[in-house]
Amino acid sequence: MLEMTRETFEELVSDALDTIPPELTRVMDNVAVFVEDEPPADDPDLLGLYEGTPLTERGEWYAGVLPDRITVYMGPTLRYCASPAEVVHEVAVTVVHEVAHHFGIDDERLHALGWG
C-alpha cells in the first residue's frame, strides 16, 4: 500500500475540485466535500460516495436541508493505486464521478463516458 499523509491526500482532492469548470462549480449548490480514511465496512473497496439529492431532483420542497455530502476515501484509494501518479489520477476521477452524481448523472452514464 502506498503511503501518503492525510494533508497531501486532501490537497489532491482540492486540486481535483479546482479542475471542474467554473460554469459547473457556480451551479453546485448545498454540497460539501470530505475526506475519510475508510468507507463503510459493508463496502471496503469504495473510493468515493455521493449522499444527497441531485440537482435534477430538487423541487420547491428543497429548503433548509443539510448539505449533500461527497466523501473521498483515502485508504482504498491508496491500496488501489501503484504509484503517486495513479493516486492523483484516481482522486481526480473519483471527484468528477461524485460531483457528476450531484448533477444527476448515474453510474451507467458515467461508465459510458469513461468516468467509472
Side-chain angles (χ1 to χ4, degrees):
M1 179 170 129
L2 288 175
E3 295 203 14
M4 182 177 289
T5 67
R6 174 72 172 252
E7 181 180 355
T8 299
F9 192 85
E10 288 175 352
E11 287 174 15
L12 294 179
V13 171
S14 179
D15 292 346
L17 286 166
D18 288 344
T19 67
I20 297 171
E23 57 271 16
L24 292 179
T25 57
R26 277 193 294 272
V27 295
M28 288 176 66
D29 183 47
N30 200 32
V31 61
V33 179
F34 299 91
V35 170
E36 297 287 342
D37 291 334
E38 295 295 333
D42 63 337
D43 201 353
D45 297 325
L46 189 64
L47 303 181
L49 180 65
Y50 169 76
E51 299 170 285
T53 304
L55 294 174
T56 54
E57 296 177 17
R58 295 179 184 179
E60 293 177 16
W61 60 269
Y62 189 86
V65 298
L66 291 174
D68 291 4
R69 182 180 177 101
I70 291 173
T71 308
V72 181
Y73 297 105
M74 186 172 154
T77 303
L78 295 179
R79 288 190 294 274
Y80 178 77
C81 297
S83 70
E86 281 186 36
V87 175
V88 171
H89 173 76
E90 195 57 49
V91 166
V93 168
T94 300
V95 167
V96 168
H97 183 104
E98 303 310 330
V99 167
H101 286 320
H102 178 68
F103 285 98
I105 302 172
D106 65 18
D107 281 330
E108 183 178 332
R109 181 70 177 136
L110 285 168
H111 285 275
L113 293 170
W115 293 100

